Amino acid sequence: MSSLHKSRIADFQDVLKEPLIALEKLRELSFSGIPCEGGLRCLCWKILLNYLPLERASWTSILAKQRELYSQFLREMIIQPGIAKANMGVSREDVTFEDHPLNPSPDSRWNTYFKDNEVLLQIDKDVRRLCPDISFFQRATEYPCLLILDPQNEFETLRKRVEQTTLKSQTVARNRSGVTNQEQNIKPQFFAFRWLTLLLSQEFLLPDVIRIWDSLFADDNRFDFLLLVCCAMLILIREQLLEGDFTVNMRLLQDYPITDVCQILQKAKELQDSK
């Protein structure tokens, strides 16, 4: 480990050990990349994404509260209404005459459940195709919900829904076609949709994606900065795009040629500073 890297780790530790975190200082440090040693990146992301407050003294209670909220979301959104295990502390509520799977009432829990399916199915698809060869995206979290993980449970989990439900929504196109060019009819939405909705996670190797996310999360207007990153990607291959035909440009944007994400982030920062 170089002395410069050790110095950066020390800078982060100094900021994070304060009773009240200096958010602007943390943003400034994180924008240039967060060290992964000692759980620094995990902690910094939690603070930058407002998962944890700036007051260190409240972290323990907030974490407990957030985990309970997570379990609550699972019970409300993932577990099929009307089915529960009494021996796991959840009272059973059978299907009633007033509320049942065929109830068309907008106030029906079942009606809400089926509407949630469409969103949840899309989330599941996105997570599965995000680096599917890496086990991290296929395993349970550190704080799983036993109601979901118990193989003997009676609940219809999200994975079972995906396996059993026919998707009604149109599958998101996996292509990343080229830049705006009326003659070639290459429209930005064909590649921008993928870049933006998946936060560039399909364009680079995972370590590089995480490095980009360090800068995105550190920016107070992170989604505006994401647009600038995408613009920087196009600017950096501008000459190639202008010289290429439809086929060449499609290939460029399907397999982005620049692997140095720091160069892309630097160009995006220049665009931001020039506004």
Side-chain angles (χ1 to χ4, degrees):
M1 184 184 299
S2 68
S3 57
L4 179 60
H5 190 67
K6 290 180 180 178
S7 176
R8 280 190 55 78
I9 293 176
D11 290 340
F12 275 93
Q13 291 173 337
D14 289 342
V15 172
L16 294 172
K17 72 181 181 181
E18 294 295 327
L20 182 66
I21 305 300
L23 183 58
E24 290 306 315
K25 179 62 176 176
L26 181 63
R27 289 187 189 279
E28 180 182 348
L29 287 172
S30 300
F31 190 87
S32 299
I34 306 172
C36 60
E37 289 82 0
L40 285 176
R41 174 172 281 126
C42 175
L43 180 56
C44 289
W45 280 14
K46 288 177 180 178
I47 298 172
L48 293 172
L49 295 174
N50 298 318
Y51 186 83
L52 286 178
L54 300 179
E55 299 81 10
R56 279 180 54 90
S58 60
W59 285 359
T60 301
S61 61
I62 292 296
L63 276 175
K65 189 175 184 180
Q66 295 281 29
R67 288 165 188 162
E68 173 56 33
L69 184 61
Y70 170 71
S71 297
Q72 179 182 336
F73 284 155
L74 287 179
R75 290 192 293 269
E76 292 180 356
M77 301 182 67
I78 305 299
I79 299 174
Q80 179 176 341
I83 299 178
K85 274 190 172 180
N87 63 354
M88 299 192 76
V90 181
S91 60
R92 183 178 178 87
E93 182 180 328
D94 292 323
V95 176
T96 64
F97 179 77
E98 292 80 11
D99 195 10
H100 50 80
L102 299 180
N103 186 357
S105 171
D107 297 327
S108 167
R109 289 178 60 197
W110 285 94
N111 192 20
T112 301
Y113 163 78
F114 290 125
K115 288 181 179 179
D116 288 341
N117 270 1
E118 296 183 12
V119 177
L120 293 170
L121 287 168
Q122 186 60 52
I123 292 173
D124 184 80
K125 284 165 53 184
D126 288 342
V127 172
R128 284 168 180 258
R129 69 187 182 187
L130 177 61
C131 303
D133 54 328
I134 298 178
S135 62
F136 173 83
F137 297 98
Q138 312 298 328
R139 69 188 184 202
T141 62
E142 185 177 354
Y143 299 97
C145 177
L146 295 180
L147 294 174
I148 297 294
L149 294 182
D150 182 1
Q152 304 301 321
N153 69 36
E154 302 171 359
F155 305 128
E156 182 185 13
T157 62
L158 176 58
R159 179 153 300 228
K160 292 178 182 176
R161 282 193 223 172
V162 174
E163 293 171 351
Q164 299 172 1
T165 303
T166 300
L167 299 180
K168 297 181 180 179
S169 59
Q170 183 179 2
T171 301
V172 176
R174 294 183 63 86
N175 65 69
R176 294 172 243 160
S177 53
V179 296
T180 302
N181 186 311
Q182 295 300 324
E183 293 183 0
Q184 297 182 18
N185 196 29
I186 302 176
K187 300 179 181 179
Q189 57 264 36
F190 295 145
F191 65 88
F193 181 80
R194 181 190 179 93
W195 289 7
L196 297 174
T197 56
L198 298 182
L199 299 182
L200 300 172
S201 59
Q202 296 285 300
E203 319 313 317
F204 304 98
L205 296 176
L206 185 59
D208 293 327
V209 172
I210 291 175
R211 173 62 190 89
I212 292 173
W213 287 0
D214 284 343
S215 295
L216 286 181
F217 297 160
D219 196 289
D220 191 30
N221 299 307
R222 59 183 62 98
F223 294 113
D224 289 340
F225 187 70
L226 175 60
L227 293 174
L228 294 177
V229 172
C230 294
C231 289
M233 291 171 62
L234 295 175
I235 291 172
L236 290 172
I237 59 172
R238 177 177 182 273
E239 297 303 322
Q240 295 168 267
L241 292 172
L242 291 176
E243 293 175 0
D245 57 16
F246 178 88
T247 302
V248 171
N249 288 343
M250 288 283 288
R251 188 180 300 116
L252 275 174
L253 291 162
Q254 287 174 352
D255 187 12
Y256 191 76
I258 298 177
T259 58
D260 184 359
V261 296
C262 290
Q263 180 185 4
I264 297 172
L265 291 170
Q266 181 180 357
K267 173 60 70 173
K269 183 61 176 174
E270 291 174 3
L271 294 174
Q272 185 183 57
D273 293 341
S274 66
K275 291 173 63 177

